[in-house]
Amino acid sequence: MASVFEGVRIVGAGQTAYTKRSSDTVQKLLYDAGSAALHDAGLGWSQVDGLAVTSFMLPPDNVATVAEHIGLETRFMFQGLYGGASGIIGMAHAARAIRDGACDVVVVAAADAFDVASHNETLDRFNGSVREFMSPQGFGGANGMFALHTRLYMERHGATREDFGRFCVALRANALLNPNALFKAPLTMADYLNAKPIADPLRLYDCVMPCIGGDAIVLASERVARTLRGPQLRILAAEETHNFPANDVYTVPGGWLGMADRLYARAGCRPSDLHFAQLYDDYPVMCFVQLEGLGICKPGTAHEFVRTTDITTRGAFPINTGGGQLSAGQAGAAGGMIGVYEGVTQLLGRAGARQVTCQRGVVAGYGMVAYGRGLCSSAAILERVE
């Protein structure tokens, strides 16, 4: 079955430095990430006629004013309103625009300039339900909310803190091969278990480190892609689901369970055909939910999966090969692009010391935390073109 994104190629990926402090504006981070991706593709800004942008700190500016700053005249624009699900959604919307002839070259970028204080301030007024019903109760931000999800997963399925620790320790091992990761020291199980308590049962290494940075990829029409050298990727399938399941905040904190059958049917492959997963890892429990929702393991068994499967770059099924947000850092809305950047970089064969053997992989996104859960979920299956 032909992909709904036939005639579209991913041709480059770029990332800025991830730092705890920087004077760079969000606009500069978006420009720098996009420039790096274009250079990787062998293209320039003068060839770009589409722009997809996600950033929590961009308002009152928007994607149109970013285009103005860069000096772009565009025929397609997208602004991500779906938190960490936006990168994949923007990529899919851009691919449809290219497929339909609306544009030829699109930069899909996300960036933010967060420190811990500005991150927490943003979360307190993230949306109406958080501002009106959760912040006044001292809900503890995202840490408090996902502590409840973690406890619920442990009680329902028998997972232990060591199971979440195995996941975090493996991602740190991956990050040590990534020169752009914030964390440079190994993480042991003892370090994980004895870390500072944050919101029971979460401790320090269960939580992301807010930081400053940006990520981008470049999509091009097949006509443009034929003029470029080097490997290219195609999007086999991409899906998004919002508010799943509707009116039930206690069942599943993500929509992958509702989209997985469509995703694999459209991609023409199965979970066993994947060579890696780049998951949205704001908290380990959400990666467990994604592993199950995407059919990589059975419901309620992700903790058993990480007990028996090496998920490092040396392992049978690598996950978050650059360290993910948990060890590379969460640059705000760029958290929804770091996995896309990493997946594209791996499939292009440009991941350096952390390179894995791969032909196809899945990337997933999650975001827009509201009353009790994130509302937006996304996933895509990418494949190297031979």
Side-chain angles (χ1 to χ4, degrees), residues 53-137:
V53 162
T54 305
S55 174
F56 294 132
M57 300 193 76
L58 188 57
D61 282 347
N62 56 33
V63 63
T65 54
V66 172
E68 179 191 27
H69 280 292
I70 296 173
L72 292 180
E73 182 178 316
T74 64
R75 297 190 286 151
F76 164 81
M77 284 186 167
F78 168 90
Q79 183 151 351
L81 303 175
Y82 316 103
S86 297
I88 293 167
I89 295 172
M91 176 183 71
H93 286 219
R96 293 186 186 100
I98 293 172
R99 176 201 65 190
D100 295 343
C103 53
D104 277 307
V105 177
V106 181
V107 170
V108 182
D112 264 313
F114 272 136
D115 56 23
V116 173
S118 60
H119 178 265
N120 291 338
E121 181 185 352
T122 299
L123 278 176
D124 279 342
R125 48 181 174 77
F126 199 52
N127 51 49
S129 60
V130 169
R131 184 189 63 212
E132 301 298 331
F133 301 107
M134 300 179 74
S135 293
Q137 307 301 322

Side-chain angles (χ1 to χ4, degrees), residues 15 174-184 321-323 328 342 354:
Q15 186 178 65
N174 292 345
L176 296 179
L177 301 174
N178 178 4
N180 205 24
L182 281 183
F183 291 94
K184 308 296 186 183
T321 50
E342 182 65 22
R354 65 187 188 278

Side-chain angles (χ1 to χ4, degrees), residues 226-245:
R226 281 195 296 268
T227 69
L228 305 175
R229 296 181 178 180
Q232 299 173 4
L233 315 181
R234 58 186 171 189
I235 305 169
L236 295 183
E239 292 288 331
E240 60 185 277
T241 300
H242 307 278
N243 194 31
F244 174 91

Side-chain angles (χ1 to χ4, degrees), residues 303-319:
H303 60 296
E304 298 172 5
F305 179 86
V306 299
R307 290 175 189 172
T308 59
T309 306
D310 185 350
I311 62 171
T312 69
T313 58
R314 306 178 304 275
F317 191 74
I319 295 176

Side-chain angles (χ1 to χ4, degrees), residues 139-373:
F139 80 117
N143 293 333
M145 182 183 300
F146 286 96
L148 297 177
H149 285 308
T150 302
R151 176 62 67 191
L152 186 61
Y153 189 94
M154 294 170 74
E155 293 183 356
R156 280 181 173 172
H157 305 304
T160 65
R161 288 195 58 237
E162 287 81 359
D163 294 324
F164 297 113
R166 288 184 187 92
F167 187 87
C168 293
V169 168
L171 264 58
R172 180 63 62 86
N174 292 345
L176 296 179
L177 301 174
N178 178 4
N180 205 24
L182 281 183
F183 291 94
K184 308 296 186 183
L187 178 67
T188 67
M189 182 64 77
D191 294 333
Y192 172 85
L193 293 173
N194 297 317
K196 175 183 176 182
I198 300 297
D200 188 62
L202 301 182
R203 290 184 177 240
L204 181 64
Y205 298 115
D206 294 301
C207 308
V208 293
M209 171 65 74
C211 67
I212 297 162
D215 299 82
I217 62 170
V218 179
L219 280 67
S221 65
E222 209 164 22
R223 179 184 65 81
V224 172
R226 281 195 296 268
T227 69
L228 305 175
R229 296 181 178 180
Q232 299 173 4
L233 315 181
R234 58 186 171 189
I235 305 169
L236 295 183
E239 292 288 331
E240 60 185 277
T241 300
H242 307 278
N243 194 31
F244 174 91
N247 303 314
D248 186 349
V249 299
Y250 302 109
T251 302
V252 180
W256 304 280
L257 189 64
M259 72 170 74
D261 288 346
R262 294 193 307 273
L263 183 73
Y264 292 115
R266 290 178 176 172
C269 68
R270 299 169 296 177
S272 59
D273 297 318
L274 303 173
H275 300 133
F276 64 71
Q278 311 293 345
L279 306 176
Y280 190 86
D281 61 331
D282 52 351
Y283 298 90
V285 69
M286 290 312 304
C287 293
F288 285 22
V289 171
Q290 286 163 82
L291 286 169
E292 296 169 10
L294 290 167
I296 295 167
C297 58
K298 295 179 180 179
T301 68
H303 60 296
E304 298 172 5
F305 179 86
V306 299
R307 290 175 189 172
T308 59
T309 306
D310 185 350
I311 62 171
T312 69
T313 58
R314 306 178 304 275
F317 191 74
I319 295 176
N320 293 9
T321 50
Q325 298 173 81
L326 285 168
S327 275
Q330 185 190 66
M337 277 298 292
I338 189 173
V340 179
Y341 163 81
E342 182 65 22
V344 170
T345 299
Q346 286 286 348
L347 289 167
L348 291 174
R350 296 170 180 159
R354 65 187 188 278
Q355 181 67 51
V356 303
T357 301
C358 56
Q359 177 70 27
R360 109 189 27 86
V362 65
V363 296
Y366 180 63
M368 197 43 59
V369 170
Y371 190 75
R373 60 176 177 173

